[in-house]
Amino acid sequence: MAGYPEQYPRTGFLLSLIGGILITVVSLLVVALVYALASELSALGYGGAATALVVAELMVGAVLGILIIYGAYQVRSRPASARIWGIGIIVLALVSIFVSSGGFYIGALLALIGGFLAYRWRPPAPSPTGWSPAPGAPPTWSPPPPSGPTPPLAGAAGKFCPYCGASNPAPARFCARCGAGFPG
Ligand SMILES: [Zn+2]
């Protein structure tokens, strides 16, 4: 898988791939079943032309399934064209429903969802305002401002009461809490 782009519609690719495989395998299995039961079918009146028509439809269905697988790998290897191939997968899956029951409809349903997801997929924006921060960008987080009352500033601007320890403004002559007079 070396050389494939990093970003691609992963789910769309996987569902389309599984759907295409189911459509192909089921078509080929039913063809094998028709051939295995050829004598029984002809005994029931389903011989010759009728069987040949069913087999032809199933072979077309198998080809449609292979094309869906191819489209899935185009979505995987060239995500820029995922929109086009998504539509292609949807069309192929719809045709396979009418031609060969689309892998018991499950394969066609998976391919339809996968094609739709590939169609809807967009490559991530290359701008630094995208989902990942650019390397070297300043962190957006900053510490919150301190909440609640700011504690009284100690130091040259204030003085501590020698009796109760309360902090008072420097020019105070009496302690605001206990009323003790300050020396000096
Ligand atoms: Zn005091």
Side-chain angles (χ1 to χ4, degrees):
M1 294 291 175
Y4 276 172
E6 195 77 17
Q7 300 289 340
Y8 69 99
R10 187 182 299 272
T11 310
F13 159 71
L14 283 175
L15 291 180
S16 302
L17 180 67
I18 296 169
I21 291 172
L22 266 177
I23 292 170
T24 306
V25 168
V26 168
S27 299
L28 294 177
L29 277 178
V30 178
V31 167
L33 197 66
V34 168
Y35 278 119
L37 301 175
S39 57
E40 285 83 353
L41 287 171
S42 72
L44 291 168
Y46 297 104
T51 306
L53 179 65
V54 169
V55 167
E57 286 178 345
L58 289 167
M59 293 309 287
V60 172
V63 171
L64 290 169
I66 291 168
L67 287 175
I68 290 172
I69 295 170
Y70 177 77
Y73 274 104
Q74 290 299 310
V75 167
R76 172 71 182 90
S77 59
R78 294 193 298 148
S81 62
R83 194 173 178 84
I84 307 267
W85 277 106
I87 297 174
I89 290 167
I90 290 170
V91 171
L92 290 167
L94 286 174
V95 174
S96 81
I97 291 175
F98 292 104
V99 172
S100 66
S101 302
F104 293 141
Y105 300 105
I106 299 170
L109 182 67
L110 292 176
L112 281 173
I113 298 171
F116 180 71
L117 290 176
Y119 170 75
R120 286 282 305 272
W121 186 80
R122 294 290 177 273
S127 72
T129 56
W131 46 269
S132 67
T140 55
W141 183 85
S142 58
S147 58
T150 50
L153 288 171
K159 61 172 88 167
F160 288 103
C161 171
Y163 301 99
C164 74
S167 175
N168 288 270
R173 307 203 46 174
F174 299 93
C175 174
R177 184 194 283 176
C178 70
F182 291 151

